Amino acid sequence: MPSMADIQTPFSRRTLLFAGGGVAAAIAAGGLTWARDSEVAEPGAAERTGPPPMAGEFDIRSGTELLAPTQLFNATGPQSFAFDDTNGLIYTLQTLQAAIHLSDEQEPVAAADRKRAGDMCLTRLTSTGEIIGYMYLRGFGHGISFGVEPVGKRTYLWVEGSADPRTGYGRSVARTLFKTGTTLDSSDPAVTHFDPVPGASDVTPSLDLAGGRVLVSHERDDEQKFAVYQMEDFLAGRTESARFINAGVQVREEEWFQGCALHGDFIYILTGNPYTGKSGANPQKSGGNTYISAIDVNTGKAQGRQRVTVAPDLPYREPEGMAISLAGGRPGLCIGFSVKTRDYRELTLYRFTS
């Protein structure tokens, strides 16, 4: 989930690879049929030719704008977001921008060094995009996904922790209080770390508050995997009863893994790249290569992969983050897009319903 300073070559160990036109034998065995590119290239085609394009329980045609393009506390690209539906708030993560000089640092730090160190900026927003708080999180990770847990008047953040200094991606799950205007280090005693999958890399959490569960995305043995825990067990260190799901399927093309979420019987996965130039692999005229996929938690089988066709005219349009919102009493699967302006990136959110 590269940010503003990234080149256009994805990290090979941080990509999800999905089956396309020729459906993998393992998928066929599960009775699932995935659409070819030509079948999803034209928005609205599914309305005329068959059932709605579903990923898990959500209709991927139903996308509506939830948050207009909004600037965050730093100028860098958004990486992920999470909802506090209890209080009507949105939290976002992004890597620290270049030349920020925090009070206990000897000099400003370059953006590339910030990314490698796992330094992030967290922004708290109202539902309409007004900034009402922020934190700097040093040494935590890249912000692929995260969760927020409101407990009375307090809000706990569930984020990557213990960033690998070689990559800047997290190696643990960290839980800590949100305190606006502060700088917090991953090594601070106020941070509780969990190591649910020892030896895993690219460890990043997401919360299913409605189901009382924790989803941990990670890489192990060069494969993208997910682990699902009951939150009560996770907090108590009882991780042996976790359910593990392998995300890998046959390769069609490389796609950046951009976030995940857990709701009901399904894990949802967001992949895709920013638009390229007209002669590139992902030009705007193609409609983009953003996909939402679903995996059944109980069987491990794929349950839909659909191309996202909303907002095709956004400049840059890199998918960034995925989360479930329960606002209004109806579950919504929400994804973010990074929008490039002249001096900074903005975040816009879209919501899909069942």
Side-chain angles (χ1 to χ4, degrees):
M1 185 178 296
S3 58
M4 184 178 296
D6 283 329
I7 57 175
Q8 296 299 316
T9 302
F11 294 107
S12 60
R13 295 185 64 250
R14 274 171 288 282
T15 53
L16 264 180
L17 306 174
F18 286 92
V23 181
I27 298 169
L32 177 69
T33 301
W34 282 357
R36 299 174 185 268
D37 275 355
S38 60
E39 294 173 331
V40 296
E42 182 183 355
E47 299 179 17
R48 300 190 300 272
T49 61
M54 304 293 290
E57 66 179 77
F58 294 101
D59 182 350
I60 307 308
R61 293 175 309 181
S62 67
T64 57
E65 186 183 80
L66 182 65
L67 179 70
T70 299
Q71 187 177 358
L72 306 180
F73 194 73
N74 273 196
T76 50
Q79 299 299 317
S80 57
F81 61 94
F83 295 104
D84 174 358
D85 290 319
T86 300
N87 298 295
L89 300 174
I90 304 170
Y91 290 78
T92 70
L93 281 177
Q94 60 192 135
T95 56
L96 262 66
Q97 67 189 46
I100 285 183
H101 186 188
L102 300 178
S103 60
D104 60 348
E105 296 171 343
Q106 294 183 351
E107 59 185 12
V109 179
D113 293 332
R114 291 289 191 194
K115 286 178 59 180
R116 193 176 301 110
D119 295 350
M120 299 187 292
C121 175
L122 183 137
T123 305
R124 181 168 64 177
L125 306 163
T126 67
S127 60
T128 58
E130 177 188 357
I131 295 175
I132 57 172
Y134 76 95
M135 280 184 74
Y136 286 129
L137 305 174
R138 290 189 301 198
F140 281 81
H142 193 69
I144 300 173
S145 64
F146 73 109
V148 293
E149 176 195 3
V151 180
K153 295 183 179 180
R154 296 184 171 189
T155 300
Y156 285 92
L157 308 173
W158 291 65
V159 296
E160 299 171 49
S162 305
D164 188 330
R166 298 168 300 175
T167 66
Y169 285 71
R171 295 175 292 183
S172 70
V173 174
R175 181 175 182 262
T176 191
L177 277 173
F178 172 81
K179 294 184 179 180
T180 190
T182 62
T183 298
L184 182 67
D185 292 308
S186 180
S187 59
D188 192 289
V191 182
T192 301
H193 289 271
F194 302 88
D195 187 15
V197 191
S201 63
D202 298 28
V203 177
T204 188
S206 178
L207 297 182
D208 170 26
L209 293 178
R213 296 179 295 178
V214 180
L215 174 67
V216 178
S217 169
H218 59 282
E219 286 193 11
R220 195 171 187 181
D221 301 325
D222 292 324
E223 291 184 318
Q224 180 82 32
K225 299 176 183 292
F226 298 97
V228 178
Y229 307 84
Q230 291 299 315
M231 183 180 290
E232 182 179 355
D233 291 339
F234 191 93
L235 288 170
R238 298 189 296 265
T239 58
E240 63 277 359
S241 61
R243 185 183 296 273
F244 286 86
I245 297 97
N246 192 333
V249 295
Q250 283 292 86
V251 174
R252 180 190 60 193
E253 63 174 309
E254 237 176 24
E255 297 172 354
W256 290 339
F257 171 49
Q258 301 282 21
C260 56
L262 173 65
H263 178 70
D265 291 331
F266 302 103
I267 295 170
Y268 295 93
I269 303 165
L270 179 68
T271 58
N273 307 88
Y275 282 144
T276 62
K278 293 180 180 179
S279 60
N282 189 39
Q284 184 170 353
K285 66 179 181 180
S286 72
N289 67 352
T290 297
Y291 284 87
I292 294 175
S293 304
I295 300 176
D296 191 306
V297 173
N298 302 302
T299 66
K301 294 183 181 294
Q303 292 295 326
R305 163 184 162 89
Q306 302 294 342
R307 182 153 69 162
V308 177
T309 57
V310 296
D313 296 327
L314 288 175
Y316 194 70
R317 195 182 182 266
E318 181 178 3
E320 296 282 14
M322 168 180 275
I324 298 292
S325 172
L326 301 177
R330 184 180 186 185
L333 178 64
C334 303
I335 68 169
F337 286 110
S338 177
V339 180
K340 182 180 286 188
T341 68
R342 178 179 176 181
D343 299 318
Y344 51 83
R345 297 271 194 89
E346 295 179 328
L347 173 68
T348 183
L349 302 181
Y350 283 79
R351 176 185 175 110
F352 301 88
T353 55
S354 58

Short mmCIF file of all heavy atoms in Angstrom, two decimals, residues 271-300:
data_model
loop_
_atom_site.label_atom_id
_atom_site.label_comp_id
_atom_site.label_asym_id
_atom_site.label_seq_id
_atom_site.Cartn_x
_atom_site.Cartn_y
_atom_site.Cartn_z
N THR A 271 -7.82 -5.28 -3.20
CA THR A 271 -6.57 -5.24 -3.96
C THR A 271 -6.67 -4.23 -5.09
O THR A 271 -7.78 -3.88 -5.52
CB THR A 271 -6.22 -6.62 -4.57
OG1 THR A 271 -7.29 -7.04 -5.42
CG2 THR A 271 -5.99 -7.66 -3.49
N GLY A 272 -5.54 -3.79 -5.59
CA GLY A 272 -5.54 -2.89 -6.74
C GLY A 272 -4.37 -1.94 -6.74
O GLY A 272 -3.62 -1.84 -5.77
N ASN A 273 -4.23 -1.23 -7.83
CA ASN A 273 -3.13 -0.30 -8.05
C ASN A 273 -3.67 1.07 -8.43
O ASN A 273 -4.80 1.19 -8.88
CB ASN A 273 -2.23 -0.80 -9.18
CG ASN A 273 -1.77 -2.22 -8.97
OD1 ASN A 273 -2.43 -3.16 -9.37
ND2 ASN A 273 -0.63 -2.39 -8.34
N PRO A 274 -2.85 2.11 -8.29
CA PRO A 274 -3.25 3.42 -8.80
C PRO A 274 -3.26 3.42 -10.32
O PRO A 274 -2.64 2.57 -10.96
CB PRO A 274 -2.17 4.36 -8.24
CG PRO A 274 -0.97 3.48 -8.05
CD PRO A 274 -1.52 2.14 -7.65
N TYR A 275 -3.98 4.37 -10.88
CA TYR A 275 -3.95 4.53 -12.33
C TYR A 275 -2.52 4.78 -12.81
O TYR A 275 -1.73 5.45 -12.15
CB TYR A 275 -4.79 5.73 -12.75
CG TYR A 275 -6.28 5.51 -12.75
CD1 TYR A 275 -7.15 6.53 -12.37
CD2 TYR A 275 -6.85 4.29 -13.14
CE1 TYR A 275 -8.52 6.37 -12.38
CE2 TYR A 275 -8.23 4.12 -13.16
CZ TYR A 275 -9.05 5.16 -12.78
OH TYR A 275 -10.42 4.99 -12.79
N THR A 276 -2.23 4.23 -13.97
CA THR A 276 -0.96 4.53 -14.64
C THR A 276 -1.24 5.46 -15.82
O THR A 276 -2.37 5.85 -16.06
CB THR A 276 -0.32 3.23 -15.15
OG1 THR A 276 -1.21 2.62 -16.11
CG2 THR A 276 -0.06 2.26 -14.01
N GLY A 277 -0.19 5.78 -16.57
CA GLY A 277 -0.36 6.54 -17.80
C GLY A 277 -1.11 5.73 -18.84
O GLY A 277 -1.38 4.53 -18.65
N LYS A 278 -1.44 6.37 -19.95
CA LYS A 278 -2.24 5.71 -20.98
C LYS A 278 -1.60 4.44 -21.51
O LYS A 278 -2.30 3.50 -21.89
CB LYS A 278 -2.48 6.69 -22.14
CG LYS A 278 -3.37 7.87 -21.76
CD LYS A 278 -3.59 8.80 -22.94
CE LYS A 278 -4.48 9.98 -22.56
NZ LYS A 278 -4.69 10.91 -23.70
N SER A 279 -0.28 4.39 -21.52
CA SER A 279 0.41 3.21 -22.04
C SER A 279 0.79 2.23 -20.94
O SER A 279 1.43 1.21 -21.20
CB SER A 279 1.68 3.63 -22.80
OG SER A 279 2.57 4.34 -21.93
N GLY A 280 0.39 2.51 -19.71
CA GLY A 280 0.73 1.65 -18.58
C GLY A 280 -0.21 0.47 -18.44
O GLY A 280 -1.14 0.27 -19.24
N ALA A 281 0.00 -0.31 -17.38
CA ALA A 281 -0.78 -1.53 -17.17
C ALA A 281 -2.16 -1.25 -16.60
O ALA A 281 -3.04 -2.12 -16.66
CB ALA A 281 -0.01 -2.47 -16.24
N ASN A 282 -2.39 -0.05 -16.03
CA ASN A 282 -3.67 0.25 -15.39
C ASN A 282 -4.13 1.67 -15.73
O ASN A 282 -4.28 2.51 -14.84
CB ASN A 282 -3.54 0.08 -13.87
CG ASN A 282 -4.86 0.15 -13.15
OD1 ASN A 282 -5.88 -0.35 -13.63
ND2 ASN A 282 -4.86 0.77 -11.98
N PRO A 283 -4.36 1.95 -17.01
CA PRO A 283 -4.77 3.31 -17.40
C PRO A 283 -6.19 3.60 -16.96
O PRO A 283 -6.99 2.69 -16.74
CB PRO A 283 -4.65 3.28 -18.92
CG PRO A 283 -4.90 1.85 -19.27
CD PRO A 283 -4.28 1.04 -18.16
N GLN A 284 -6.53 4.87 -16.87
CA GLN A 284 -7.86 5.26 -16.42
C GLN A 284 -8.95 4.72 -17.34
O GLN A 284 -10.03 4.33 -16.88
CB GLN A 284 -7.96 6.78 -16.33
CG GLN A 284 -9.28 7.28 -15.77
CD GLN A 284 -9.25 8.77 -15.47
OE1 GLN A 284 -8.21 9.40 -15.55
NE2 GLN A 284 -10.39 9.33 -15.12
N LYS A 285 -8.68 4.66 -18.62
CA LYS A 285 -9.70 4.20 -19.56
C LYS A 285 -10.11 2.75 -19.32
O LYS A 285 -11.19 2.31 -19.74
CB LYS A 285 -9.23 4.36 -21.00
CG LYS A 285 -8.05 3.46 -21.37
CD LYS A 285 -7.64 3.66 -22.82
CE LYS A 285 -6.47 2.74 -23.19
NZ LYS A 285 -6.05 2.94 -24.61
N SER A 286 -9.28 1.99 -18.61
CA SER A 286 -9.60 0.59 -18.32
C SER A 286 -10.64 0.45 -17.23
O SER A 286 -11.21 -0.64 -17.04
CB SER A 286 -8.34 -0.15 -17.90
OG SER A 286 -7.93 0.25 -16.60
N GLY A 287 -10.88 1.52 -16.48
CA GLY A 287 -11.78 1.43 -15.34
C GLY A 287 -11.10 1.04 -14.06
O GLY A 287 -11.73 0.93 -13.01
N GLY A 288 -9.79 0.81 -14.13
CA GLY A 288 -9.03 0.47 -12.94
C GLY A 288 -9.03 -1.02 -12.65
O GLY A 288 -9.79 -1.79 -13.22
N ASN A 289 -8.14 -1.44 -11.76
CA ASN A 289 -8.04 -2.86 -11.41
C ASN A 289 -8.29 -3.07 -9.91
O ASN A 289 -7.70 -3.95 -9.28
CB ASN A 289 -6.68 -3.44 -11.81
CG ASN A 289 -5.53 -2.86 -11.00
OD1 ASN A 289 -5.71 -1.90 -10.23
ND2 ASN A 289 -4.35 -3.42 -11.16
N THR A 290 -9.18 -2.27 -9.33
CA THR A 290 -9.56 -2.44 -7.93
C THR A 290 -10.57 -3.57 -7.81
O THR A 290 -11.60 -3.56 -8.49
CB THR A 290 -10.17 -1.15 -7.37
OG1 THR A 290 -9.18 -0.12 -7.39
CG2 THR A 290 -10.65 -1.35 -5.93
N TYR A 291 -10.28 -4.54 -6.94
CA TYR A 291 -11.17 -5.68 -6.75
C TYR A 291 -11.48 -5.88 -5.28
O TYR A 291 -10.63 -5.68 -4.41
CB TYR A 291 -10.53 -6.97 -7.29
CG TYR A 291 -10.56 -7.08 -8.79
CD1 TYR A 291 -9.55 -6.54 -9.57
CD2 TYR A 291 -11.61 -7.75 -9.43
CE1 TYR A 291 -9.57 -6.65 -10.95
CE2 TYR A 291 -11.64 -7.85 -10.82
CZ TYR A 291 -10.62 -7.30 -11.57
OH TYR A 291 -10.65 -7.41 -12.94
N ILE A 292 -12.70 -6.30 -5.01
CA ILE A 292 -13.11 -6.79 -3.70
C ILE A 292 -13.35 -8.28 -3.83
O ILE A 292 -14.09 -8.73 -4.71
CB ILE A 292 -14.39 -6.08 -3.20
CG1 ILE A 292 -14.12 -4.60 -2.94
CG2 ILE A 292 -14.91 -6.76 -1.93
CD1 ILE A 292 -15.36 -3.81 -2.57
N SER A 293 -12.72 -9.04 -2.94
CA SER A 293 -12.89 -10.49 -2.92
C SER A 293 -13.37 -10.93 -1.55
O SER A 293 -13.15 -10.24 -0.56
CB SER A 293 -11.57 -11.20 -3.25
OG SER A 293 -11.05 -10.76 -4.49
N ALA A 294 -14.01 -12.07 -1.49
CA ALA A 294 -14.51 -12.60 -0.23
C ALA A 294 -14.09 -14.05 -0.08
O ALA A 294 -14.02 -14.81 -1.06
CB ALA A 294 -16.04 -12.49 -0.16
N ILE A 295 -13.81 -14.44 1.16
CA ILE A 295 -13.47 -15.82 1.50
C ILE A 295 -14.36 -16.25 2.66
O ILE A 295 -14.51 -15.53 3.64
CB ILE A 295 -11.99 -15.96 1.92
CG1 ILE A 295 -11.07 -15.52 0.79
CG2 ILE A 295 -11.68 -17.39 2.33
CD1 ILE A 295 -9.60 -15.53 1.16
N ASP A 296 -14.96 -17.42 2.54
CA ASP A 296 -15.80 -17.96 3.61
C ASP A 296 -14.91 -18.38 4.78
O ASP A 296 -14.00 -19.20 4.62
CB ASP A 296 -16.59 -19.16 3.08
CG ASP A 296 -17.68 -19.61 4.05
OD1 ASP A 296 -17.35 -19.88 5.22
OD2 ASP A 296 -18.84 -19.72 3.64
N VAL A 297 -15.18 -17.82 5.95
CA VAL A 297 -14.36 -18.12 7.13
C VAL A 297 -14.48 -19.59 7.52
O VAL A 297 -13.52 -20.19 8.02
CB VAL A 297 -14.79 -17.23 8.32
CG1 VAL A 297 -14.08 -17.64 9.60
CG2 VAL A 297 -14.52 -15.78 8.02
N ASN A 298 -15.63 -20.19 7.29
CA ASN A 298 -15.89 -21.55 7.75
C ASN A 298 -15.29 -22.61 6.85
O ASN A 298 -14.86 -23.67 7.32
CB ASN A 298 -17.40 -21.78 7.88
CG ASN A 298 -18.04 -20.80 8.84
OD1 ASN A 298 -17.68 -20.71 10.00
ND2 ASN A 298 -19.00 -20.03 8.33
N THR A 299 -15.23 -22.32 5.54
CA THR A 299 -14.75 -23.32 4.58
C THR A 299 -13.41 -22.96 3.96
O THR A 299 -12.74 -23.82 3.39
CB THR A 299 -15.77 -23.51 3.45
OG1 THR A 299 -15.86 -22.30 2.69
CG2 THR A 299 -17.14 -23.86 4.02
N GLY A 300 -13.02 -21.67 4.01
CA GLY A 300 -11.81 -21.23 3.34
C GLY A 300 -11.96 -21.06 1.86
O GLY A 300 -10.99 -20.75 1.16
#
